[in-house]
Amino acid sequence: MTTPPYPSHPSYPEDLERPGLVRTGRSTFVRPIRPEDADRLVAFVGTLSRATLAYRSLGPVVRARDDVIRRGAHVDYLNELALVALDGDEIAGLVRYVRDPEDPEHAEVTFTIRDDHQSEGFGRLLLEHIAAAARARGIRVLEADVLADNVRMINVFLGSGYRTEAGPPGQIIHFEIAVDPQAQAVARAERREQTAVRRSLRPLLEPRSVAVIGANRDPLTIGHEIVANLVRGGFAGSVLPVNPRAERIAGARAYATVRDLPEPPDLALVAVRAEAVPGVVRECAEVGVKAVVVVSTGFGETGAEGRAGELELARFARASGMRLVGPNCMGVVNTTPAARLAATFSPALPTPGRVAMSSQSGPLGLAVLDYARRLRLGFSGFVSVGHAVDVSTDELLQWWEEDPGTSVILLHVETFGDPRRFARVARRIAPRKPIVAVHPGHADSAVSSLFAQSGVIRTRSLQELFDVALLLAHQPPPPGNRVAVITNAGGPATLTVGACAASGLCVPALGERTRRTLRPALAPHADVSNPIDLTPTATAAHYRQALDAALADDGIDAAIVLFMPPLADKPDEVASAILDAAAARPDKPVLASFLGGAGVADLLHRGDLVVPTYTFPEAAATSLGHAAAYQTWRSTPAGVVPDLAGVDPERARALIASCAPGPVPATTAAELLASYGIAVRDSAPGPGPDAFLTVRADPVFGPVVAFGLTGDYADLMADVAHRVTPLSDRDARELVRSLRATPLLEKRGVDFGALEETVLRLSAMVEDLPEIEALELRPIRLLPAGDGVAVSHATIRLADNTTGGGPA
């Protein structure tokens, strides 16, 4: 018998504690089993029917003795691991693997689901969790023996998307499940997740009844305003205030406790003191509430103890089958006709529209809704997630992804629950619906890289966020970056041209045919190049003619119209002319800036036709620049993660298993890289400067690849590009060509193709080997085209993987 090259008693792996959703949308909490679960495990086995025990034990059995069952709660979390899915304080399902001591890359896996939870999807959920945990612990294949008539378990394996091999038909079928993430497995897991997320969020966003716990008779209090908004907003379901000292609140009948409610509400809003929240949430679970919004403050913002309290609240809610928003949030709004839900204390309720927003700041949400109303920017939905201990931004994205009433999604993001899942979801949605986000920390390259790879439009401020939303909610993205500027004043036009250039736009000369059309139609002194200066004497008719001609020009993709209201003309007539021209060319966006004009936004609305207007022209140019960059991303062919020749993951895993955590010996590092087709060799300098590639395991984003040139380029100029793995061929191409020094490399004729391939091989390596905590290739000799690149030196450091550490 060989001894596995793994520690035998690692500590409890908290990283495996994860919320989960089964196919029906039911919420649960998945975590490793603990020694203190022994009695819970005995109770779980005691609920199993004879049929379930027979399937579990591959034949007729009697129930094991309690002392034998209790031993199952003691595992080493490495060579033996058990995960439980919780239903309240009870176990709903259990999965366990035991590593084969003769073949440490194989393990036997068994599943047990309580009878009343079978057919809900617990088996598939637990398979995804145990596969990820096994993969992080060096296990490549899970083996299972299944009775031939156990159709449910067979379907779990066959429908998982993992590569499976089944033994010959017989009474017992032997399955081997390869736990490497196959594209099909990932796609099927994403579809299951999307279905489960939407079902779990329906009671939150489309509830049939809403309870307000902590409702108050006094106006201007949070509890009173939530009830009043629900009533004023026209919620069609039951509004159920909970207050032991009131008979009616805001016109709705009140109840003394949650247990006195005439029906279990789909949604409960909790607005009580922080110390009372856990008890209230427990009562909600006991009566069958499906979703809870905790408006109360006094949790994570107070320090470590408050943070621990809110995380425990989330665990309890998940285990009880509830979804939880908050704490420290301002509620939920859904203006769609199916919901008409205004479950918030905000005094400013949004008008219906096609923009949805998630905000991580409760107080900020109040200002957001007020500002959006003044802009006349309508919302389909608004969710203040607060501390986001359960319901997250990426889950709300999946709800709005399928919402026909939402066409633009806005995000105020301070932290990411699962940034890699966010990236997957955003990449799927952004080609169809623009996602605009504001995130603090403008110098955060990892966040910028994540957004850029995902097609998310990142803005620098909330003002800019709403400027972009105003455009995308009402006008199409421009087909290109060529802009016509139409003005009646030269100074603002000059500012606009400069702002266009800073935003990646160009203001080209109009075509000769367009200029011939405009010359006789405009005033004698009008400038018909670009900007089109109509002079202060311009009339509404002049604006209409100029805008018609510019939008008809094949060399123009969008128009920005500036108007300085003179005494001789009326803004409403000019606004009407602009609307007429925009309606005639709906394929090209039109933006306006009426400098000094009050109430102009109202003038540029005509039914569903809206021309976004900005106080200053620079904001219009910045918004249009974001929209043009988004359209470029959307129209660019999607990248793929290619299959690479000369890759030997099995050899690499064996090398990793032979190493202790910490720095890897240089010879082993070279062998690891060679397993992925990257040779470490001496070479004379090439025609270009030397380069470097590094990988760091970011605690938020996972492996982050950095590329730059050695010396002053990176040290003094900070000319370094970043991307988050896994990298597609497009990501690799953009990474190595996004430096400010790229023109120098092009001039020197370096082998970009070989450099991109090295990046892709490095990405594949760190994705396959999560034990790699840090990696650096420095220097990399950039050789002439056709000669490749030469990695002269490499260093690799391994994380302590006894708890499944390393990049997520």
Side-chain angles (χ1 to χ4, degrees), residues 130-167:
I130 200 72
R135 187 165 60 246
R137 286 156 176 75
I139 293 170
R140 294 191 304 107
V141 177
L142 294 175
E143 300 186 30
D145 290 321
V146 183
L147 286 173
D149 62 344
N150 189 354
V151 177
R152 288 172 178 164
M153 202 69 241
I154 292 172
N155 287 339
V156 165
F157 293 145
L158 295 180
S160 67
Y162 291 107
R163 180 167 50 85
T164 61
E165 294 183 7

mmCIF file of all heavy atoms in Angstrom, residues 130-167:
data_model
loop_
_atom_site.group_PDB
_atom_site.id
_atom_site.type_symbol
_atom_site.label_atom_id
_atom_site.label_comp_id
_atom_site.label_asym_id
_atom_site.label_seq_id
_atom_site.Cartn_x
_atom_site.Cartn_y
_atom_site.Cartn_z
ATOM 1 N N ILE A 130 -19.135 18.564 -4.555
ATOM 2 C CA ILE A 130 -18.117 17.565 -4.214
ATOM 3 C C ILE A 130 -17.095 17.453 -5.339
ATOM 4 O O ILE A 130 -15.912 17.204 -5.085
ATOM 5 C CB ILE A 130 -18.764 16.187 -3.906
ATOM 6 C CG1 ILE A 130 -17.787 15.315 -3.084
ATOM 7 C CG2 ILE A 130 -19.189 15.469 -5.168
ATOM 8 C CD1 ILE A 130 -17.609 15.761 -1.666
ATOM 9 N N ALA A 131 -17.519 17.647 -6.597
ATOM 10 C CA ALA A 131 -16.570 17.593 -7.710
ATOM 11 C C ALA A 131 -15.541 18.719 -7.593
ATOM 12 O O ALA A 131 -14.340 18.505 -7.798
ATOM 13 C CB ALA A 131 -17.314 17.680 -9.039
ATOM 14 N N ALA A 132 -16.006 19.923 -7.261
ATOM 15 C CA ALA A 132 -15.083 21.051 -7.116
ATOM 16 C C ALA A 132 -14.129 20.824 -5.947
ATOM 17 O O ALA A 132 -12.928 21.090 -6.048
ATOM 18 C CB ALA A 132 -15.864 22.345 -6.917
ATOM 19 N N ALA A 133 -14.650 20.315 -4.828
ATOM 20 C CA ALA A 133 -13.803 20.066 -3.655
ATOM 21 C C ALA A 133 -12.787 18.967 -3.951
ATOM 22 O O ALA A 133 -11.613 19.070 -3.564
ATOM 23 C CB ALA A 133 -14.674 19.687 -2.460
ATOM 24 N N ALA A 134 -13.221 17.905 -4.636
ATOM 25 C CA ALA A 134 -12.305 16.811 -4.971
ATOM 26 C C ALA A 134 -11.215 17.294 -5.920
ATOM 27 O O ALA A 134 -10.030 16.962 -5.750
ATOM 28 C CB ALA A 134 -13.101 15.664 -5.597
ATOM 29 N N ARG A 135 -11.600 18.083 -6.906
ATOM 30 C CA ARG A 135 -10.628 18.589 -7.873
ATOM 31 C C ARG A 135 -9.551 19.410 -7.175
ATOM 32 O O ARG A 135 -8.362 19.300 -7.498
ATOM 33 C CB ARG A 135 -11.362 19.423 -8.916
ATOM 34 C CG ARG A 135 -10.509 19.886 -10.073
ATOM 35 C CD ARG A 135 -11.374 20.377 -11.224
ATOM 36 N NE ARG A 135 -12.234 21.486 -10.851
ATOM 37 C CZ ARG A 135 -13.565 21.444 -10.806
ATOM 38 N NH1 ARG A 135 -14.199 20.318 -11.090
ATOM 39 N NH2 ARG A 135 -14.276 22.509 -10.476
ATOM 40 N N ALA A 136 -9.940 20.233 -6.203
ATOM 41 C CA ALA A 136 -8.976 21.059 -5.480
ATOM 42 C C ALA A 136 -8.068 20.228 -4.591
ATOM 43 O O ALA A 136 -7.012 20.707 -4.169
ATOM 44 C CB ALA A 136 -9.710 22.098 -4.632
ATOM 45 N N ARG A 137 -8.443 18.985 -4.311
ATOM 46 C CA ARG A 137 -7.651 18.106 -3.447
ATOM 47 C C ARG A 137 -6.918 17.033 -4.240
ATOM 48 O O ARG A 137 -6.508 16.014 -3.696
ATOM 49 C CB ARG A 137 -8.564 17.483 -2.383
ATOM 50 C CG ARG A 137 -8.951 18.502 -1.320
ATOM 51 C CD ARG A 137 -10.239 18.153 -0.614
ATOM 52 N NE ARG A 137 -10.499 19.116 0.458
ATOM 53 C CZ ARG A 137 -10.934 20.357 0.266
ATOM 54 N NH1 ARG A 137 -11.170 20.787 -0.964
ATOM 55 N NH2 ARG A 137 -11.114 21.174 1.280
ATOM 56 N N GLY A 138 -6.763 17.258 -5.531
ATOM 57 C CA GLY A 138 -5.950 16.362 -6.350
ATOM 58 C C GLY A 138 -6.653 15.114 -6.834
ATOM 59 O O GLY A 138 -6.001 14.202 -7.345
ATOM 60 N N ILE A 139 -7.978 15.044 -6.687
ATOM 61 C CA ILE A 139 -8.739 13.883 -7.154
ATOM 62 C C ILE A 139 -9.252 14.183 -8.559
ATOM 63 O O ILE A 139 -9.864 15.226 -8.790
ATOM 64 C CB ILE A 139 -9.903 13.568 -6.197
ATOM 65 C CG1 ILE A 139 -9.347 13.100 -4.849
ATOM 66 C CG2 ILE A 139 -10.835 12.507 -6.781
ATOM 67 C CD1 ILE A 139 -10.391 12.982 -3.761
ATOM 68 N N ARG A 140 -9.012 13.261 -9.488
ATOM 69 C CA ARG A 140 -9.434 13.471 -10.872
ATOM 70 C C ARG A 140 -10.703 12.708 -11.229
ATOM 71 O O ARG A 140 -11.459 13.122 -12.095
ATOM 72 C CB ARG A 140 -8.330 13.049 -11.836
ATOM 73 C CG ARG A 140 -7.083 13.885 -11.768
ATOM 74 C CD ARG A 140 -6.157 13.583 -12.931
ATOM 75 N NE ARG A 140 -5.829 12.160 -12.992
ATOM 76 C CZ ARG A 140 -6.304 11.321 -13.909
ATOM 77 N NH1 ARG A 140 -7.144 11.748 -14.831
ATOM 78 N NH2 ARG A 140 -5.947 10.044 -13.908
ATOM 79 N N VAL A 141 -10.932 11.571 -10.561
ATOM 80 C CA VAL A 141 -12.052 10.701 -10.927
ATOM 81 C C VAL A 141 -12.816 10.294 -9.676
ATOM 82 O O VAL A 141 -12.210 9.839 -8.692
ATOM 83 C CB VAL A 141 -11.569 9.441 -11.680
ATOM 84 C CG1 VAL A 141 -12.747 8.521 -11.997
ATOM 85 C CG2 VAL A 141 -10.847 9.823 -12.963
ATOM 86 N N LEU A 142 -14.124 10.480 -9.698
ATOM 87 C CA LEU A 142 -14.998 9.966 -8.653
ATOM 88 C C LEU A 142 -15.668 8.701 -9.194
ATOM 89 O O LEU A 142 -16.192 8.691 -10.317
ATOM 90 C CB LEU A 142 -16.067 11.005 -8.289
ATOM 91 C CG LEU A 142 -15.556 12.284 -7.632
ATOM 92 C CD1 LEU A 142 -16.707 13.276 -7.452
ATOM 93 C CD2 LEU A 142 -14.906 11.994 -6.279
ATOM 94 N N GLU A 143 -15.664 7.650 -8.387
ATOM 95 C CA GLU A 143 -16.261 6.381 -8.804
ATOM 96 C C GLU A 143 -17.485 6.098 -7.942
ATOM 97 O O GLU A 143 -17.492 6.365 -6.737
ATOM 98 C CB GLU A 143 -15.247 5.245 -8.672
ATOM 99 C CG GLU A 143 -13.989 5.454 -9.515
ATOM 100 C CD GLU A 143 -13.075 4.246 -9.461
ATOM 101 O OE1 GLU A 143 -13.586 3.116 -9.307
ATOM 102 O OE2 GLU A 143 -11.854 4.429 -9.557
ATOM 103 N N ALA A 144 -18.516 5.540 -8.575
ATOM 104 C CA ALA A 144 -19.755 5.233 -7.855
ATOM 105 C C ALA A 144 -20.377 3.968 -8.426
ATOM 106 O O ALA A 144 -20.362 3.748 -9.648
ATOM 107 C CB ALA A 144 -20.750 6.395 -7.982
ATOM 108 N N ASP A 145 -20.910 3.134 -7.549
ATOM 109 C CA ASP A 145 -21.681 1.951 -7.934
ATOM 110 C C ASP A 145 -23.150 2.244 -7.672
ATOM 111 O O ASP A 145 -23.531 2.649 -6.567
ATOM 112 C CB ASP A 145 -21.240 0.718 -7.139
ATOM 113 C CG ASP A 145 -19.846 0.251 -7.542
ATOM 114 O OD1 ASP A 145 -19.542 0.307 -8.743
ATOM 115 O OD2 ASP A 145 -19.073 -0.160 -6.662
ATOM 116 N N VAL A 146 -23.995 2.022 -8.689
ATOM 117 C CA VAL A 146 -25.405 2.387 -8.611
ATOM 118 C C VAL A 146 -26.247 1.198 -9.058
ATOM 119 O O VAL A 146 -25.942 0.551 -10.078
ATOM 120 C CB VAL A 146 -25.708 3.610 -9.512
ATOM 121 C CG1 VAL A 146 -27.166 4.033 -9.375
ATOM 122 C CG2 VAL A 146 -24.778 4.770 -9.182
ATOM 123 N N LEU A 147 -27.292 0.890 -8.295
ATOM 124 C CA LEU A 147 -28.227 -0.143 -8.723
ATOM 125 C C LEU A 147 -28.879 0.267 -10.048
ATOM 126 O O LEU A 147 -29.212 1.439 -10.257
ATOM 127 C CB LEU A 147 -29.302 -0.363 -7.665
ATOM 128 C CG LEU A 147 -28.859 -1.116 -6.385
ATOM 129 C CD1 LEU A 147 -29.969 -1.112 -5.368
ATOM 130 C CD2 LEU A 147 -28.439 -2.537 -6.709
ATOM 131 N N ALA A 148 -29.090 -0.706 -10.921
ATOM 132 C CA ALA A 148 -29.574 -0.415 -12.267
ATOM 133 C C ALA A 148 -30.940 0.246 -12.270
ATOM 134 O O ALA A 148 -31.284 0.965 -13.211
ATOM 135 C CB ALA A 148 -29.606 -1.693 -13.102
ATOM 136 N N ASP A 149 -31.751 0.006 -11.225
ATOM 137 C CA ASP A 149 -33.080 0.622 -11.206
ATOM 138 C C ASP A 149 -33.113 1.927 -10.427
ATOM 139 O O ASP A 149 -34.187 2.500 -10.224
ATOM 140 C CB ASP A 149 -34.126 -0.352 -10.652
ATOM 141 C CG ASP A 149 -33.845 -0.758 -9.215
ATOM 142 O OD1 ASP A 149 -32.702 -0.536 -8.743
ATOM 143 O OD2 ASP A 149 -34.751 -1.305 -8.557
ATOM 144 N N ASN A 150 -31.939 2.425 -9.999
ATOM 145 C CA ASN A 150 -31.882 3.722 -9.319
ATOM 146 C C ASN A 150 -31.803 4.820 -10.393
ATOM 147 O O ASN A 150 -30.768 5.447 -10.623
ATOM 148 C CB ASN A 150 -30.670 3.784 -8.384
ATOM 149 C CG ASN A 150 -30.684 5.019 -7.491
ATOM 150 O OD1 ASN A 150 -31.529 5.900 -7.637
ATOM 151 N ND2 ASN A 150 -29.754 5.081 -6.566
ATOM 152 N N VAL A 151 -32.928 5.019 -11.066
ATOM 153 C CA VAL A 151 -32.970 5.893 -12.233
ATOM 154 C C VAL A 151 -32.596 7.324 -11.873
ATOM 155 O O VAL A 151 -31.919 8.024 -12.639
ATOM 156 C CB VAL A 151 -34.369 5.842 -12.881
ATOM 157 C CG1 VAL A 151 -34.454 6.800 -14.054
ATOM 158 C CG2 VAL A 151 -34.682 4.421 -13.316
ATOM 159 N N ARG A 152 -33.013 7.792 -10.701
ATOM 160 C CA ARG A 152 -32.733 9.176 -10.319
ATOM 161 C C ARG A 152 -31.227 9.432 -10.251
ATOM 162 O O ARG A 152 -30.724 10.437 -10.768
ATOM 163 C CB ARG A 152 -33.373 9.494 -8.973
ATOM 164 C CG ARG A 152 -34.895 9.624 -9.027
ATOM 165 C CD ARG A 152 -35.455 9.752 -7.631
ATOM 166 N NE ARG A 152 -36.906 9.936 -7.643
ATOM 167 C CZ ARG A 152 -37.679 9.770 -6.574
ATOM 168 N NH1 ARG A 152 -37.139 9.444 -5.406
ATOM 169 N NH2 ARG A 152 -38.981 9.965 -6.673
ATOM 170 N N MET A 153 -30.487 8.528 -9.603
ATOM 171 C CA MET A 153 -29.050 8.740 -9.457
ATOM 172 C C MET A 153 -28.337 8.589 -10.792
ATOM 173 O O MET A 153 -27.400 9.344 -11.104
ATOM 174 C CB MET A 153 -28.482 7.746 -8.440
ATOM 175 C CG MET A 153 -27.164 8.198 -7.832
ATOM 176 S SD MET A 153 -27.378 9.635 -6.752
ATOM 177 C CE MET A 153 -26.352 10.846 -7.572
ATOM 178 N N ILE A 154 -28.776 7.651 -11.606
ATOM 179 C CA ILE A 154 -28.180 7.479 -12.933
ATOM 180 C C ILE A 154 -28.363 8.749 -13.757
ATOM 181 O O ILE A 154 -27.441 9.218 -14.431
ATOM 182 C CB ILE A 154 -28.800 6.259 -13.641
ATOM 183 C CG1 ILE A 154 -28.370 4.969 -12.921
ATOM 184 C CG2 ILE A 154 -28.386 6.211 -15.109
ATOM 185 C CD1 ILE A 154 -29.070 3.725 -13.406
ATOM 186 N N ASN A 155 -29.558 9.338 -13.693
ATOM 187 C CA ASN A 155 -29.811 10.568 -14.437
ATOM 188 C C ASN A 155 -28.973 11.739 -13.925
ATOM 189 O O ASN A 155 -28.596 12.628 -14.693
ATOM 190 C CB ASN A 155 -31.301 10.925 -14.385
ATOM 191 C CG ASN A 155 -32.142 10.013 -15.242
ATOM 192 O OD1 ASN A 155 -31.634 9.372 -16.159
ATOM 193 N ND2 ASN A 155 -33.425 9.938 -14.935
ATOM 194 N N VAL A 156 -28.687 11.753 -12.615
ATOM 195 C CA VAL A 156 -27.824 12.804 -12.059
ATOM 196 C C VAL A 156 -26.450 12.740 -12.719
ATOM 197 O O VAL A 156 -25.896 13.758 -13.158
ATOM 198 C CB VAL A 156 -27.695 12.661 -10.527
ATOM 199 C CG1 VAL A 156 -26.528 13.515 -10.005
ATOM 200 C CG2 VAL A 156 -28.977 13.093 -9.848
ATOM 201 N N PHE A 157 -25.878 11.534 -12.819
ATOM 202 C CA PHE A 157 -24.544 11.396 -13.411
ATOM 203 C C PHE A 157 -24.566 11.697 -14.905
ATOM 204 O O PHE A 157 -23.740 12.444 -15.421
ATOM 205 C CB PHE A 157 -24.000 9.980 -13.164
ATOM 206 C CG PHE A 157 -23.709 9.683 -11.725
ATOM 207 C CD1 PHE A 157 -23.913 8.412 -11.207
ATOM 208 C CD2 PHE A 157 -23.236 10.661 -10.874
ATOM 209 C CE1 PHE A 157 -23.646 8.121 -9.879
ATOM 210 C CE2 PHE A 157 -22.960 10.390 -9.540
ATOM 211 C CZ PHE A 157 -23.169 9.118 -9.038
ATOM 212 N N LEU A 158 -25.534 11.119 -15.619
ATOM 213 C CA LEU A 158 -25.574 11.276 -17.069
ATOM 214 C C LEU A 158 -25.922 12.711 -17.470
ATOM 215 O O LEU A 158 -25.500 13.183 -18.523
ATOM 216 C CB LEU A 158 -26.588 10.306 -17.680
ATOM 217 C CG LEU A 158 -26.259 8.812 -17.533
ATOM 218 C CD1 LEU A 158 -27.346 7.965 -18.172
ATOM 219 C CD2 LEU A 158 -24.897 8.490 -18.145
ATOM 220 N N GLY A 159 -26.709 13.404 -16.641
ATOM 221 C CA GLY A 159 -27.119 14.769 -16.971
ATOM 222 C C GLY A 159 -26.208 15.838 -16.416
ATOM 223 O O GLY A 159 -26.490 17.027 -16.568
ATOM 224 N N SER A 160 -25.116 15.445 -15.758
ATOM 225 C CA SER A 160 -24.259 16.433 -15.101
ATOM 226 C C SER A 160 -23.421 17.232 -16.079
ATOM 227 O O SER A 160 -23.019 18.361 -15.794
ATOM 228 C CB SER A 160 -23.326 15.726 -14.110
ATOM 229 O OG SER A 160 -22.401 14.899 -14.804
ATOM 230 N N GLY A 161 -23.136 16.656 -17.249
ATOM 231 C CA GLY A 161 -22.230 17.311 -18.184
ATOM 232 C C GLY A 161 -20.790 16.904 -17.981
ATOM 233 O O GLY A 161 -19.944 17.159 -18.843
ATOM 234 N N TYR A 162 -20.454 16.263 -16.842
ATOM 235 C CA TYR A 162 -19.116 15.734 -16.655
ATOM 236 C C TYR A 162 -18.927 14.513 -17.548
ATOM 237 O O TYR A 162 -19.885 13.799 -17.867
ATOM 238 C CB TYR A 162 -18.877 15.337 -15.196
ATOM 239 C CG TYR A 162 -18.807 16.498 -14.244
ATOM 240 C CD1 TYR A 162 -19.846 16.767 -13.359
ATOM 241 C CD2 TYR A 162 -17.702 17.334 -14.224
ATOM 242 C CE1 TYR A 162 -19.788 17.841 -12.483
ATOM 243 C CE2 TYR A 162 -17.628 18.411 -13.351
ATOM 244 C CZ TYR A 162 -18.673 18.656 -12.489
ATOM 245 O OH TYR A 162 -18.616 19.710 -11.628
ATOM 246 N N ARG A 163 -17.688 14.270 -17.938
ATOM 247 C CA ARG A 163 -17.393 13.078 -18.740
ATOM 248 C C ARG A 163 -17.527 11.850 -17.852
ATOM 249 O O ARG A 163 -16.847 11.735 -16.827
ATOM 250 C CB ARG A 163 -15.985 13.185 -19.328
ATOM 251 C CG ARG A 163 -15.575 11.996 -20.177
ATOM 252 C CD ARG A 163 -14.306 12.336 -20.970
ATOM 253 N NE ARG A 163 -13.280 12.890 -20.114
ATOM 254 C CZ ARG A 163 -12.423 12.152 -19.411
ATOM 255 N NH1 ARG A 163 -12.498 10.837 -19.434
ATOM 256 N NH2 ARG A 163 -11.498 12.745 -18.669
ATOM 257 N N THR A 164 -18.423 10.950 -18.211
ATOM 258 C CA THR A 164 -18.679 9.764 -17.406
ATOM 259 C C THR A 164 -18.449 8.517 -18.234
ATOM 260 O O THR A 164 -18.639 8.505 -19.459
ATOM 261 C CB THR A 164 -20.123 9.739 -16.877
ATOM 262 O OG1 THR A 164 -21.028 9.718 -17.985
ATOM 263 C CG2 THR A 164 -20.409 10.953 -16.010
ATOM 264 N N GLU A 165 -18.024 7.461 -17.561
ATOM 265 C CA GLU A 165 -17.911 6.139 -18.165
ATOM 266 C C GLU A 165 -18.692 5.172 -17.299
ATOM 267 O O GLU A 165 -18.496 5.129 -16.075
ATOM 268 C CB GLU A 165 -16.450 5.708 -18.273
ATOM 269 C CG GLU A 165 -15.622 6.562 -19.230
ATOM 270 C CD GLU A 165 -14.194 6.060 -19.372
ATOM 271 O OE1 GLU A 165 -13.907 4.974 -18.825
ATOM 272 O OE2 GLU A 165 -13.381 6.760 -20.010
ATOM 273 N N ALA A 166 -19.588 4.412 -17.932
ATOM 274 C CA ALA A 166 -20.418 3.461 -17.196
ATOM 275 C C ALA A 166 -20.029 2.051 -17.577
ATOM 276 O O ALA A 166 -19.733 1.753 -18.749
ATOM 277 C CB ALA A 166 -21.900 3.694 -17.499
ATOM 278 N N GLY A 167 -20.026 1.181 -16.556
ATOM 279 C CA GLY A 167 -19.712 -0.221 -16.792
ATOM 280 C C GLY A 167 -20.816 -0.917 -17.565
ATOM 281 O O GLY A 167 -21.852 -0.319 -17.876
#
